[in-house]
């Protein structure tokens, strides 16, 4: 791991920019009615069905982020001046213009001495996994361009921090949304990407109870927007993308193998990832896109996601706040303890890079399939599940603070009790070999966390090898991240 990235952020929450939608379709329905010859009941029926169709159409448009009007594209087609993205993002992103294109090209340029390398578009590059993967690719000389909408699912400052690190190593992260078809078309136009590492997503299992539509926008509509752009691109890139261990849902056959059932998701998040796997199959089948889905198992590490348990447990333990630890509500052979196959970020990054390196080519061009292309699915886990209670024990030891535990029965919030990856397929075909156990990886996370959020405590712990856990809050504030 490069010194600047001793941990990693997970997949960035993507898409979902609220587009201003102008309903321009009223006339379409009206002008089809020959007004004079209608019987009153026929008229009322027609009026009724018109209203129904209009409502449906309106609902569809309002719920679809890719529905931004593509009007006035000609006036915006100039490459000479920057323009606002069609999809508002919290940062009011701009893109376009000659200087912008130059930056995009420079970032995506392969830097290996032999000139042979990948040119990769990394979506969700300001996210946890995205930022680490982009940095790893850049380190070996591949061309890397990032794309992220910097949304506020969790503290955007953390995402900006990751993007700043990438900028220092020469990776530019375009501030834009995967659902912005115009932006994607432009990117593929400017750079003939060989690969896309698609990590932009709405992540998090429990948040789907709070904002279900954000999952549909990012993980379904956003994925389709990306695949549409990729299938129309010439050359078509090979695509490697983040699915999730959560697709195994209520599967109780362990360890989870790629051959196991994935048709019983326990959360909307899982259902949208599963939908993504099916959608990917369609694009592989019709357009010859090379598609590889990676099922990540609870990825953790430095620069991680504040919405994940290991992260906010750390924050709350340090602040002396109680943490809620779920215990099994019983039933099922493997469900006595809530456990996760926690997987360290560097191992996940190796899996991503292995998947990119072994991805066969897409066979289509300009939207036309020329032959069968690879369609692959791999588990990327650690293959050694650890109970969540043990995770808390480890954190207490490393932080030197006793946690205030509130033990509660696991609520029906989309969580599954147990995950355990069978990784033999990834081992065989990607050369994937995870090498970091939870204790080692968590130590690296805690070191990063203290340095980032609580540098005084970090120094104290380093100097004295002990801490009282009540040290002052760091310059970034240990409670700053949104959940
Ligand atoms: O592997 C995956 O596919 C998924 O991993 C994580 O989901 P999860 O494993 O549920 O990770 P956390 O949300 O960090 O939860 C870890 C464990 O802590 C437990 N937990 C969570 C929250 C809490 O307050 N208390 C608690 O005991 C959960 O039930 C779970 O067993 C990510 O959040 C998902 O985005 C990802 O797709």
């Amino acid at each position: 791991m490069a010194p600047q990235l001793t941990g990693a952020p997970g997949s960035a929450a993507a898409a979902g920019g609220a587009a201003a939608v102008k309903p321009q379709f009223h006339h379409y329905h009206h002008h089809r009615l020959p007004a004079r010859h209608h019987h009153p009941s026929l008229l009322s029926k027609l009026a009724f069905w018109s209203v129904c169709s209009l409502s449906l159409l309106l609902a569809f448009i309002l719920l679809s982020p890719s529905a931004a009007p593509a009007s006035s594209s000609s006036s915006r087609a100039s490459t000479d001046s920057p323009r606002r993205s069609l999809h508002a993002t919290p940062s009011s992103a701009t893109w376009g213009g000659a200087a912008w294109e130059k930056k995009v090209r420079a970032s995506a340029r392969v830097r290996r001495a032999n000139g042979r390398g990948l040119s990769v578009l990394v979506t969700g590059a300001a996210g946890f996994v995205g930022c680490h993967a982009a940095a790893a690719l850049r380190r070996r000389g591949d061309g890397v361009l990032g794309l992220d909408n910097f949304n506020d699912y969790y503290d955007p400052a953390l995402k900006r921090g990751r993007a700043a690190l990438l900028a220092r190593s020469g990776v530019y992260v375009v501030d834009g949304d995967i659902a912005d078809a115009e932006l994607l078309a432009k990117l593929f136009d400017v750079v003939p990407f060989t690969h896309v590492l698609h990590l932009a997503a709405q992540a998090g299992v429990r948040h789907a109870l709070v904002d279900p539509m954000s999952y549909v926008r990012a993980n379904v509509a956003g994925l389709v927007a990306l695949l549409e752009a990729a299938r129309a691109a010439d050359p078509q890139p090979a695509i490697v993308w983040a699915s999730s261990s959560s697709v195994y849902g209520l599967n109780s056959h362990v360890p989870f193998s790629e051959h196991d059932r994935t048709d019983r998701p326990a959360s909307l998040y899982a259902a949208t990832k599963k939908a993504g796997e099916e959608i990917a199959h369609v694009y592989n089948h019709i357009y010859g896109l090379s598609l590889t889905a990676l099922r990540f198992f609870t990825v953790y590490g430095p620069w991680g996601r504040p919405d994940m348990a290991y992260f906010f447990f750390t924050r709350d333990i340090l602040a002396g706040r109680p943490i809620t630890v779920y215990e099994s509500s019983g039933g099922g052979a493997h469900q006595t303890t809530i456990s996760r196959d926690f997987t360290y970020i560097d191992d996940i990054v190796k899996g991503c890079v292995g998947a990119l390196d072994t991805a066969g080519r897409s066979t289509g061009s300009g939207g036309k399939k020329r032959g069968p292309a690879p369609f692959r699915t791999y588990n990327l886990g650690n293959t050694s599940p650890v109970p969540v209670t043990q995770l808390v024990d480890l954190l207490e030891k490393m932080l030197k603070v006793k946690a205030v535990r509130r033990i509660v029965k696991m609520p029906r919030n989309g969580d599954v009790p147990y995950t355990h990856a069978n990784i033999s397929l990834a081992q065989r075909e990607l050369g994937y070999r995870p090498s970091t156990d939870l204790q080692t990886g968590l130590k690296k996370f805690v070191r990063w966390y203290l340095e980032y959020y609580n540098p005084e405590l970090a120094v104290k712990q380093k100097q004295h090898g002990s801490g009282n856990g009540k040290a002052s809050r760091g310059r970034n504030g240990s409670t700053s991240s949104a959940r």
Side-chain angles (χ1 to χ4, degrees), residues 10 22 44 51 62 81 115 123 130 157 237 272 340 376 413 457 483:
K22 291 182 208 139
S44 56
V51 169
L62 285 174
S81 59
T123 71
T272 59
R340 283 292 178 275
R376 311 182 299 168
N413 57 6
L457 181 57
R483 244 194 276 166

Side-chain angles (χ1 to χ4, degrees), residues 203-206 244-246 269 296-298 305 308-309 312-313 324-326 338 340 388 410 415:
V205 174
R206 294 170 296 277
S244 159
S245 73
S246 64
Y269 167 68
F296 295 161
F297 282 68
T298 315
R305 272 175 33 213
M308 290 185 67
F312 63 78
F313 281 175
T324 305
V325 181
Y326 300 144
I338 307 286
R340 283 292 178 275
V388 174
M410 194 171 79
D415 272 334

Side-chain angles (χ1 to χ4, degrees), residues 305-357:
R305 272 175 33 213
D307 65 317
M308 290 185 67
Y310 75 94
F311 196 116
F312 63 78
F313 281 175
T314 300
R315 181 190 63 202
D316 291 346
I317 290 171
L318 281 173
R321 278 195 297 268
I323 58 169
T324 305
V325 181
Y326 300 144
E327 67 172 12
S328 169
S329 43
H334 305 283
Q335 302 182 1
T336 46
T337 332
I338 307 286
S339 305
R340 283 292 178 275
D341 197 356
F342 294 101
T343 311
Y344 189 62
I345 181 65
D346 290 4
D347 290 325
I348 288 290
V349 167
K350 282 185 207 142
C352 292
V353 172
L356 288 167
D357 284 344

Side-chain angles (χ1 to χ4, degrees), residues 383-459:
T383 201
S384 126
V386 176
V388 174
T389 47
Q390 201 173 312
L391 165 80
V392 179
D393 295 345
L394 285 169
L395 285 176
E396 284 179 326
K397 220 168 83 197
M398 290 170 195
L399 298 170
K400 302 178 177 70
V401 184
K402 196 103 193 103
V404 185
R405 304 184 194 210
R406 265 189 347 113
I407 310 286
V408 304
K409 297 264 176 249
M410 194 171 79
R412 195 165 302 156
N413 57 6
D415 272 334
V416 292
Y418 188 86
T419 64
H420 182 183
N422 175 333
I423 55 166
S424 41
L425 191 62
Q427 251 162 356
R428 233 177 14 250
E429 296 186 6
L430 310 182
Y432 173 69
R433 274 180 192 73
S435 60
T436 312
D437 63 22
L438 183 60
Q439 171 145 352
T440 309
L442 213 49
K443 233 185 231 163
K444 294 185 184 182
F445 164 72
V446 165
R447 195 180 314 140
W448 167 81
Y449 183 94
L450 294 177
E451 277 165 11
Y452 191 79
Y453 288 107
N454 203 331
E456 284 172 40
L457 181 57
V459 170

